[in-house]
Amino acid sequence: MELLFLGLAGGAIAAYFIYSFFNKNKKKEKEQQQSVVLMEKIRAVCKFITVEGDFSEIYHYANVKDKWINLFLGSKKALVLIEAKAHIGFDLTKIKMNSDVEKKTIYLSNFPQPELLSIETDFKYYDKKEGWANPFTSSDLTDINREAKQYIVEKIPQSGLLKEASNQALDTIQLMEKLVETINWKLDYSSLETGENPTYLKDSRNTIEKP
């Protein structure tokens, strides 16, 4: 009887440890899956717009490619009023993250620089002059629209929009931090302060302090 009791007790203890072992592994797998799903959700946002900028510019177009045609058939010129809205932000697919299940921490090791994500344009033509036998064609208008759009794109670096978006980098990271906290994990982005190009994050700290 005593041996039976010892056997049952030993079996119960063994079953407890076996259950604890598998339950612990199952919990780890669940937490690992949680972190992976969360990181994929963050990346799935893809384009995160933080700044919008409006442009209104006059673009002078002159057909200088077909010199001989312009000489004999007349040249084509136009003034184009460009109304544009530029969207600046972060491409979150470029984020680099990894997780530590034991510490329940997601480490952010790379955060992208701000960039032009999209641009909306509207064109109005003024003072359009055509040659007597050299009218504007649909191909000409396509070229003008493309060149006018590029004209706006080239003005963006001097507009201050990229710097303004940089100043909101920490804001964006802190939104990610709150998302991570919804599954009771932590977001560690301390490595960004000592990375290859941490300047834009430091600039953000001038206006926003890490809690």
Side-chain angles (χ1 to χ4, degrees):
M1 188 72 178
E2 185 178 346
L3 290 175
L4 178 61
F5 175 77
L6 290 174
L8 290 173
I13 292 172
Y16 171 77
F17 281 111
I18 292 171
Y19 171 79
S20 297
F21 175 77
F22 284 106
N23 189 53
K24 185 178 180 181
N25 284 343
K26 188 175 181 181
K27 185 179 179 181
K28 279 187 178 181
E29 285 182 14
K30 184 179 179 181
E31 289 179 343
Q32 180 68 41
Q33 187 177 19
Q34 275 185 314
S35 69
V36 170
V37 169
L38 183 63
M39 288 190 291
E40 290 308 313
K41 280 184 178 180
I42 290 172
R43 288 193 180 97
V45 176
C46 292
K47 311 290 185 182
F48 190 76
I49 296 171
T50 58
V51 175
E52 287 186 350
D54 294 313
F55 292 83
S56 182
E57 298 283 341
I58 297 293
Y59 175 67
H60 297 263
Y61 170 80
N63 183 6
V64 295
K65 293 186 294 184
D66 305 315
K67 292 182 179 180
W68 292 109
I69 293 178
N70 290 341
L71 181 62
F72 292 104
L73 303 181
S75 61
K76 292 178 281 191
K77 297 179 181 180
L79 288 179
V80 185
L81 173 62
I82 313 167
E83 300 285 348
K85 183 181 291 291
H87 301 115
I88 310 295
F90 305 95
D91 183 353
L92 300 187
T93 61
K94 297 177 180 178
I95 283 176
K96 291 182 182 178
M97 295 179 287
N98 56 76
S99 61
D100 186 327
V101 177
E102 294 289 342
K103 296 182 179 179
K104 298 184 75 171
T105 301
I106 291 177
Y107 294 94
L108 184 59
S109 57
N110 180 70
F111 193 78
Q113 296 290 321
E115 60 185 88
L116 173 65
L117 298 178
S118 65
I119 185 168
E120 301 170 4
T121 52
D122 182 53
F123 306 103
K124 294 178 182 177
Y125 292 86
Y126 296 93
D127 195 24
K128 191 164 66 172
K129 296 179 180 178
E130 301 175 313
W132 65 274
N134 186 19
F136 279 98
T137 65
S138 58
S139 177
D140 291 327
L141 297 179
T142 299
D143 288 342
I144 293 173
N145 289 352
R146 185 179 63 252
E147 291 175 16
K149 184 175 181 179
Q150 184 61 32
Y151 178 74
I152 294 294
V153 171
E154 290 172 357
K155 284 186 171 290
I156 288 174
Q158 291 80 39
S159 68
L161 291 176
L162 292 173
K163 184 173 182 180
E164 188 176 343
S166 292
N167 291 336
Q168 298 186 32
L170 190 58
D171 256 348
T172 306
I173 293 171
Q174 287 177 334
L175 285 176
M176 294 168 53
E177 187 174 36
K178 291 186 182 301
L179 182 60
V180 170
E181 288 172 353
T182 61
I183 61 169
N184 297 317
W185 279 50
K186 295 184 297 182
L187 179 69
D188 186 327
Y189 52 94
S190 57
S191 64
L192 295 180
E193 301 169 20
T194 56
E196 292 182 3
N197 193 6
T199 305
Y200 70 102
L201 186 61
K202 288 181 179 178
D203 289 343
S204 300
R205 289 182 177 276
N206 292 334
T207 53
I208 306 171
E209 291 297 327
K210 180 181 174 182

